[in-house]
Amino acid sequence: MKIFARITGTGSYLPEKVLTNKDLESMVDTSDQWIRERTGILKRHIAETYQTTCDLAEQAARRAIDAAGKRPQDIDLIVLATTTPDKIFPSTACLVQQRLDIHGCAAFDVQAVCTGFIYALSVAEKFVSTGAARCALVIGAETFSRIIDWTDRDTCVLFGDGAGAVVIEASEVPGILSSHLHADGAYETLLHVPGGVSRGYNMPDAEGDPHYTRMRGNEVFRMAVNTLGRIVDETLHANDMKKSDVDWLVPHQANIRIINATARKLNMSMDKVVVTVDQHGNTSAASVPLALDTAVRDGRIRPGEVLLLEGFGGGFTWGSVLLKF
Ligand code: UT7
């Protein structure tokens, strides 16, 4: 009999500190009106200096495990998506494992920037559906504020910190129906942090400080809209489904205009799209599980409904997961 991986619990966490559009007006040459109109973002949450990605991930993970009615000791796989790990090593997944007092199960990070959670969920699903794991914890967590130049208005108004998590368990009933992962490294420099461990940070030719995120926003925007439109078709075709079969779109939360465009592609009214970008901006790998948890906890998403999760980010990377909740 086929084994499916089914989401049995969701959780999320946003740090308490809030940075509003008004706050940003006193930091860079921007306005609340510009940010609202161009991005849909009203505020973002920022980790305190003592809070790390692992701290955020732990909170989201505990909430997801509780919601699934499990104990940390039931978890037999941890896959964590982040672009902003606490340390070069061990992986943040291992740090979360330590916090949860779990010992022995596989734990590793995946790096696909804003598509990270989609990648992590797809990888964990493979473990569960092949019988290699029975109860996996999948986390997307970021302290993206640490790789933002807070004097660069092109990027600093867009991003925030947060974490989201799900527990997926082996099940005879669906479950994750399919996942679709893609990347094209040819677009490296449209969205990147130029410096790094191996390359170092000493590159006088880099535009701006090589520690921080550089983005050619307009080009990324156009690619994101086109690519996400294509992945909607690919996902529905693979499952022999119609647009009207999808109950909820749970998109990466980068910009309300990108989300609107994907919803239009699905002929979906915006009340069937989970939008949280207004509340926390672009939290990279955390954004899809944050949105998912919000709509599960407020009762919008009901058991048995069909969800389309999708993401697009640096790399470029992009992907989708279609599932029955
Ligand atoms: O998660 C990974 C994927 N990332 C994304 O999906 C982000 C994709 N990109 C975007 O969301 C949008 O491109 C932005 C929100 C970054 C920018 O919106 P846009 O409509 O593409 O604006 P633009 O870059 O074409 O800039 C329009 C104007 C420019 O001024 P001029 O040249 O027309 O005089 C910018 O200098 O807006 C100016 N501008 C700003 N003004 C006020 C750029 N940033 C700001 C700002 N405040 N923060």
Side-chain angles (χ1 to χ4, degrees):
M1 184 186 294
K2 181 170 168 46
I3 308 173
F4 289 97
R6 205 165 68 79
I7 294 181
T8 55
T10 66
S12 62
Y13 177 76
L14 288 166
E16 267 176 37
K17 190 164 124 189
V18 168
L19 190 68
T20 64
N21 294 347
K22 270 267 170 279
D23 296 331
L24 281 161
E25 285 179 356
S26 62
M27 295 163 63
V28 289
D29 179 16
T30 191
S31 69
D32 175 46
Q33 190 190 354
W34 190 96
I35 301 171
R36 279 171 193 257
E37 287 177 5
R38 296 294 181 121
T39 72
I41 299 168
L42 308 182
K43 63 185 174 76
R44 66 287 295 138
H45 292 248
I46 306 292
E48 298 286 356
T49 45
Y50 59 81
Q51 279 182 309
T52 66
T53 295
C54 178
D55 293 325
L56 277 46
E58 180 192 354
Q59 298 300 328
R62 288 191 185 281
R63 290 172 187 181
I65 293 168
D66 277 354
K70 294 283 167 185
R71 295 163 306 143
Q73 288 65 34
D74 299 322
I75 301 296
D76 60 5
L77 171 70
I78 302 173
V79 186
L80 185 145
T82 191
T83 310
T84 47
D86 286 31
K87 297 183 168 190
I88 291 163
F89 69 86
S91 68
T92 307
C94 286
L95 302 181
V96 170
Q97 186 190 40
Q98 180 193 61
R99 291 283 181 86
L100 296 176
D101 199 20
I102 304 171
H103 304 272
C105 75
F108 57 92
D109 287 0
V110 301
Q111 159 59 305
V113 204
C114 298
T115 321
F117 182 77
I118 300 289
Y119 267 64
L121 187 56
S122 173
V123 169
E125 187 269 335
K126 305 289 186 279
F127 276 74
V128 172
S129 65
T130 57
R134 290 199 58 80
C135 184
L137 175 63
V138 186
I139 308 169
E142 301 277 15
T143 45
F144 222 83
S145 60
R146 305 276 154 77
I147 52 168
I148 292 298
D149 175 354
W150 290 98
T151 65
D152 173 21
R153 73 172 183 174
D154 290 344
T155 52
C156 77
V157 303
L158 303 174
F159 293 94
D161 301 334
V166 299
V167 170
I168 59 171
E169 293 184 59
S171 157
E172 287 174 11
V173 294
I176 292 174
L177 301 170
S178 72
S179 59
H180 306 266
L181 304 182
H182 297 280
D184 189 344
Y187 296 96
E188 173 192 354
T189 54
L190 289 191
L191 176 52
H192 67 142
V193 175
V197 178
S198 181
R199 216 168 165 236
Y201 290 92
N202 185 17
M203 48 189 77
D205 52 326
E207 13 147 3
D209 187 323
H211 289 85
Y212 300 126
T213 301
R214 299 283 135 204
M215 177 164 69
R216 302 230 294 267
N218 212 277
E219 287 157 81
V220 176
F221 184 97
R222 272 185 276 124
M223 276 294 292
V225 169
N226 291 333
T227 309
L228 291 172
R230 280 205 310 277
I231 204 147
V232 164
D233 288 337
E234 178 187 335
T235 311
L236 293 176
H237 186 254
N239 290 280
D240 204 13
M241 278 192 181
K242 304 184 296 295
K243 292 173 179 175
S244 56
D245 293 327
V246 179
D247 295 305
W248 292 98
L249 175 65
V250 187
H252 171 46
Q253 310 285 320
N255 185 320
I256 190 65
R257 290 153 56 215
I258 299 175
I259 297 174
N260 287 339
T262 312
R264 270 199 302 277
K265 173 84 194 173
L266 270 166
N267 296 332
M268 217 165 192
S269 75
M270 284 306 286
D271 58 358
K272 286 297 187 184
V273 180
V274 182
V275 176
T276 52
V277 67
D278 52 329
Q279 296 302 309
H280 54 63
N282 184 347
T283 56
S284 184
S287 101
V288 171
L290 265 165
L292 176 64
D293 184 50
T294 301
V296 168
R297 282 180 192 262
D298 68 21
R300 271 180 289 171
I301 291 178
R302 316 281 309 164
E305 290 186 318
V306 175
L307 318 187
L308 176 57
L309 280 46
E310 48 86 339
F312 180 90
F316 288 139
T317 54
W318 63 99
S320 66
V321 173
L322 190 81
L323 63 91
K324 218 171 198 151
F325 189 70

